């Protein structure tokens, strides 16, 4: 980082985009596991046990900012980051191509 500017070498943004894609896949797997927690039992048949099971089920799925919703939001953010890294790499490649074309115009034998 230099004077508020971030510089990356070729391929770094691609690696970051790949890491984001892998992380998003891991978050999706966690979200699926969280969805399975929407039906919790094992707290017994007393009203307090039923209330506790309902409370934990709603924390996983369907409650106020449930785990499923939180993971969905995180996936969206990681996907947005992946897209930014992909655009960075595309711009880097385009700038490099323009530079190569300019040098080739100066010295066609290169």
């Amino acid at each position: 980082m230099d004077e508020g500017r971030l510089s990356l070498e070729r391929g770094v943004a691609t690696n970051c985009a790949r890491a984001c894609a892998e992380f998003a896949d891991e978050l999706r797997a966690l979200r699926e596991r969280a969805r399975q927690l929407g039906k919790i039992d094992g707290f017994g048949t007393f009203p307090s046990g039923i209330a506790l099971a309902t409370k934990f089920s709603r924390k996983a799925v369907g409650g106020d900012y449930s785990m499923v919703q939180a993971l969905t939001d995180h996936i969206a953010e990681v996907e947005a980051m992946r897209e930014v890294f992909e655009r960075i790499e595309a711009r880097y490649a385009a700038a490099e191509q323009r530079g190569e074309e300019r040098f080739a115009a100066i010295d066609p034998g290169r």
Side-chain angles (χ1 to χ4, degrees), residues 1 6-22 81-93 96:
M1 191 165 226
L6 175 66
S7 61
L8 301 173
E9 291 183 22
R10 181 82 189 260
V12 171
T14 297
N15 291 339
C16 290
R18 188 177 306 114
C20 286
E22 291 169 5
M81 290 169 58
R82 179 190 52 80
E83 291 171 7
V84 167
F85 287 122
E86 288 173 346
R87 284 194 307 269
I88 289 169
E89 189 65 31
R91 288 179 181 164
Y92 190 106
E96 191 170 80

Side-chain angles (χ1 to χ4, degrees), residues 39-46 48-54 56-57:
K39 174 98 172 86
I40 296 177
D41 54 16
F43 286 96
T45 57
F46 290 123
S48 60
I50 293 169
L52 196 55
T54 300
F56 284 125
S57 293

Side-chain angles (χ1 to χ4, degrees), residues 63-74:
D64 291 335
Y65 205 62
S66 67
M67 178 59 74
V68 168
Q69 185 59 54
L71 288 167
T72 298
D73 291 348
H74 280 71

Side-chain angles (χ1 to χ4, degrees), residues 15-34:
N15 291 339
C16 290
R18 188 177 306 114
C20 286
E22 291 169 5
F23 186 48
D25 287 342
E26 291 174 23
L27 291 173
R28 284 185 193 92
L30 287 172
R31 182 177 59 187
E32 289 310 309
R33 288 179 56 197

